[in-house]
Amino acid sequence: MSAPLDRHRDQRQQLLAGVTERLRRLGIPASFGQLTPYYDFYGQIPDGLTGLVVDEPVGPGSMQVTVVAAHRTGESSTDPHLWVREVDLEYDLDGDVYFEVSTLDDAGDGSAVWAPRQLVGSEEGVVDAIRLWHGYRDMLRATPPPPDARRSGRRAKQLAARHTAAGAARVRFAVDESEVPVEFRPALGAHLTDLDHAQLCFQFPRDKTGRYSRSAVVALSGYGVVLGKRGPWLSVRAAGDELVLGVEALIDVNQDHRWDRLPWLWRTSARDTGPEERWQTPSAEHVRPIADLLERNALTDALTLSGVEVDGDLAALLLGYPISYSFARYTETWVRTLYDQLAGCAPWRFAAAFRAWQDERRTAGRTPQHEVALFGLKGLNQQSKPMVALTAEGGVSRLTMIWSASNARLPRALWELPADLG
């Protein structure tokens, strides 16, 4: 079924002719025709509405311009450029006529897409808005951070602190076994007996100064827990220069630091675990070229050498480009966070990390999911937040940008550079 005809098509085209000519002189192509349906808090545009369409130079977005009838907010308004659209009129042109501009971040699938509308009172204003939008990728591009000259020094300091802590391990037990179901208390006792104090102190997360991370909570083992539900976990926190073991009620999938699948990080019985299982590589020298690229902030090259793909949004951010006009203001924050987080990753471990996560879900009787979050990109104070996620469909690791309201993520010890890799 074809869309209804716009009875003001010819008049709209005539009123937009000046904008079209100004854009032509600037080298910005524009076409007149039926608009992609869009909506905002005012509702949805009428079917068949026509106007100008300017496609994004790189990407699926577009800017659309039409003309509408509007009236001023009132005689007392001190802003001569402030108007309210006549929501009761179906875009007829009876009365004062102004330009309505909308920005679409993607082409859509034929259904209406969200696009807040802006009223503009002059051709110059419309052209200025289009010029800013048309060139936003270059004008609002962030500069990817250069190699951090102090990074190697910080890592050396952290490594020295790890060895010092392991050589004089200070671990305090504050475990209340009554927090654990009776049938799992023998397992708790066995874990406490098997605890490798030196390894625990060596592996515990560090801040940039080399000290124990005060905010870190390391979940070692759960007892009678259900995946994704709060339950009792043997955990460890830092208290000054010592580590304190206790039992806490934690949600396993929400923990950045969860070591139940990596016993060699904290158990004496797993001390002899080989490098293939520990690091997913025969030796540190096998992955030295990748580690060197990460050290130089050559993230794209490091990922490529590891056989890891990235989606379009992350590829843009790695080069400093905004992912879209609507989110351009967050580009600098997202680029900085992306580089900061991936500088400590071990991309050759991604495939094994993804398999471990899928195995955990399968063991718990959960349906497989095709992606799992690694970390957030920050900047947005809302429920659904931008995150970097890992998928490995077909055995090929791929990083993607997702929007999620969940706190679940892949434990860092599965995908970051191992502290003992050297």
Side-chain angles (χ1 to χ4, degrees):
M1 181 178 177
S2 59
L5 295 178
D6 181 358
R7 63 190 180 93
H8 297 293
R9 177 188 177 95
D10 293 341
Q11 189 176 358
R12 290 189 211 280
Q13 187 168 17
Q14 181 180 0
L15 290 168
L16 289 167
V19 173
T20 304
E21 176 58 22
R22 289 170 182 266
L23 293 175
R24 186 193 65 78
R25 292 199 296 265
L26 292 171
I28 299 176
S31 60
F32 184 89
Q34 185 173 314
L35 301 181
T36 297
Y38 56 90
Y39 67 95
D40 61 8
F41 292 118
Y42 288 114
Q44 182 173 327
I45 65 171
D47 293 336
L49 183 66
T50 56
L52 285 183
V53 178
V54 180
D55 290 325
E56 187 176 357
V58 179
S62 64
M63 183 168 271
Q64 300 188 148
V65 185
T66 189
V67 284
V68 298
H71 68 83
R72 296 188 183 279
T73 56
E75 295 299 327
S76 61
S77 175
T78 58
D79 185 351
H81 301 293
L82 185 61
W83 302 284
V84 173
R85 185 173 60 84
E86 282 281 17
V87 296
D88 295 332
L89 300 178
E90 293 190 354
Y91 282 77
D92 67 27
L93 300 180
D94 297 330
D96 296 333
V97 174
Y98 300 99
F99 300 101
E100 182 175 88
V101 179
S102 58
T103 304
L104 283 63
D105 282 336
D106 56 62
D109 57 3
S111 59
V113 298
W114 171 263
R117 290 170 269 197
Q118 176 186 4
L119 290 182
V120 181
S122 66
E123 291 182 356
E124 292 87 348
V126 173
V127 173
D128 285 346
I130 293 175
R131 288 179 65 185
L132 175 62
W133 169 84
H134 196 260
Y136 80 89
R137 293 188 81 249
D138 291 317
M139 286 189 290
L140 302 179
R141 183 184 182 186
T143 301
D148 186 349
R150 296 177 294 179
R151 181 179 294 156
S152 60
R154 285 198 302 268
R155 286 184 175 165
K157 189 173 183 178
Q158 289 175 338
L159 185 60
R162 290 180 185 277
H163 283 297
T164 298
R170 296 179 58 190
V171 179
R172 176 162 56 90
F173 286 53
V175 177
D176 181 359
E177 69 171 14
S178 68
E179 299 291 332
V180 175
V182 173
E183 62 270 29
F184 293 100
R185 290 176 188 173
L188 171 63
H191 288 154
L192 294 177
T193 302
D194 194 31
L195 189 71
D196 188 330
H197 293 222
Q199 194 63 207
L200 182 65
C201 292
F202 182 90
Q203 297 286 352
F204 194 86
R206 305 274 166 169
D207 62 21
K208 292 184 178 181
T209 69
R211 296 187 180 91
Y212 288 139
S213 173
R214 291 183 297 177
S215 61
V217 180
V218 177
L220 300 178
S221 181
Y223 303 98
V225 297
V226 177
L227 187 67
K229 303 294 184 180
R230 192 176 297 279
W233 279 78
L234 177 63
S235 63
V236 57
R237 294 175 181 263
D241 292 331
E242 70 175 358
L243 297 180
V244 181
L245 264 76
V247 175
E248 297 185 55
L250 301 174
I251 300 176
D252 46 12
V253 297
N254 290 359
Q255 305 306 309
D256 263 330
H257 306 288
R258 180 158 60 94
W259 294 358
D260 54 320
R261 301 183 70 88
L262 301 95
W264 54 88
L265 298 181
W266 61 284
R267 294 177 63 179
T268 302
S269 58
R271 186 179 294 170
D272 296 329
T273 302
E276 285 282 5
E277 188 173 355
R278 281 177 174 267
W279 306 331
Q280 289 70 56
T281 183
S283 69
E285 289 307 310
H286 275 74
V287 293
R288 184 66 60 198
I290 300 173
D292 289 344
L293 288 169
L294 292 170
E295 188 75 20
R296 301 200 303 268
N297 263 6
L299 300 187
T300 299
D301 293 338
L303 295 173
T304 300
L305 187 58
S306 304
V308 178
E309 299 177 350
V310 296
D311 70 358
D313 286 343
L314 292 183
L317 290 174
L318 285 170
L319 294 173
Y321 288 110
I323 66 166
S324 70
Y325 184 70
S326 298
F327 293 108
R329 76 191 74 173
Y330 305 106
T331 303
E332 186 172 348
T333 296
W334 291 352
V335 169
R336 183 174 63 250
T337 303
L338 184 64
Y339 271 79
D340 181 60
Q341 294 290 327
L342 290 184
C345 78
W348 68 87
R349 304 182 70 200
F350 284 172
F354 188 80
R355 287 196 299 271
W357 176 73
Q358 291 284 48
D359 289 345
E360 181 177 62
R361 291 188 61 82
R362 192 177 300 110
T363 301
R366 303 296 175 81
T367 57
Q369 289 183 345
H370 70 279
E371 62 192 14
V372 56
L374 299 184
F375 56 87
L377 288 173
K378 302 181 180 180
L380 279 174
N381 185 22
Q382 62 182 42
Q383 187 173 14
S384 182
K385 294 179 174 62
M387 306 189 78
V388 173
L390 171 66
T391 183
E393 300 294 335
V396 178
S397 298
R398 180 179 172 85
L399 296 179
T400 64
M401 182 174 174
I402 65 170
W403 293 82
S404 175
S406 172
N407 291 322
R409 74 281 310 276
L410 193 64
R412 287 182 175 271
L414 290 173
W415 60 270
E416 287 190 325
L417 283 167
D420 56 351
L421 182 63

